Amino acid sequence: QVQLAESGGGSVQTGGSLRLSCVVPGYPYSTHKCMGWFRQTPGKEREGVASINPGGGRTWYAESVKGRFTIYQDSAKNTVYLQMNSLKPEDSAMYYCASVDPLRCGSLDPVVYNEWGQGTQVTVSS
């Protein structure tokens, strides 16, 4: 079982930026997993935000974040990032990173992801 550790959440005002980090031991060369970022607010289902393949050359985004969020990786640091710009109050949520078998690369369906971090809270105030 891979231990995923998110960090970087916090409170910002509308229009601000945050960068979330997810440290994944052995990523990408040892795990060969695709990684995804998800978010969830109380009473709502978890939704996919962005995904990246192990090589980092392919990324996928939810429509709601396209053009504002960027997922990328630093292989030397075994870390996947989510750069979030132009944040809106509706982006407020607990954000999670997760891994999935490479056959599922590109999916933003949380059901197919099988390893999860503990989450990091993002709050955007108006």
Side-chain angles (χ1 to χ4, degrees):
Q1 190 81 4
V2 177
Q3 298 294 322
L4 310 181
E6 305 98 332
S7 62
S11 297
V12 296
Q13 292 187 328
T14 298
S17 298
L18 283 173
R19 188 181 74 166
L20 306 183
S21 302
C22 176
V23 177
V24 189
Y27 181 83
Y29 305 113
S30 297
T31 67
H32 304 292
K33 300 275 191 176
C34 284
M35 299 299 299
W37 282 98
F38 297 81
R39 64 188 181 187
Q40 189 171 24
T41 55
K44 293 188 176 181
E45 292 187 353
R46 192 167 294 187
E47 65 168 338
V49 174
S51 179
I52 189 168
N53 72 323
R58 296 194 67 189
T59 56
W60 298 265
Y61 296 94
E63 286 296 325
S64 58
V65 305
K66 278 184 180 178
R68 300 188 299 122
F69 291 12
T70 302
I71 186 171
Y72 65 99
Q73 63 186 43
D74 184 333
S75 301
K77 295 182 178 180
N78 304 134
T79 301
V80 177
Y81 299 97
L82 184 68
Q83 177 67 45
M84 306 186 296
N85 299 327
S86 302
L87 283 162
K88 305 174 182 179
E90 51 264 42
D91 294 318
S92 297
M94 184 71 79
Y95 282 72
Y96 301 88
C97 67
S99 66
V100 68
D101 186 273
L103 290 177
R104 299 282 195 170
C105 269
S107 174
L108 293 178
D109 183 352
V111 171
V112 305
Y113 284 72
N114 45 31
E115 291 168 329
W116 293 83
Q118 295 300 306
T120 185
Q121 179 69 39
V122 171
T123 303
V124 185
S125 59
S126 57

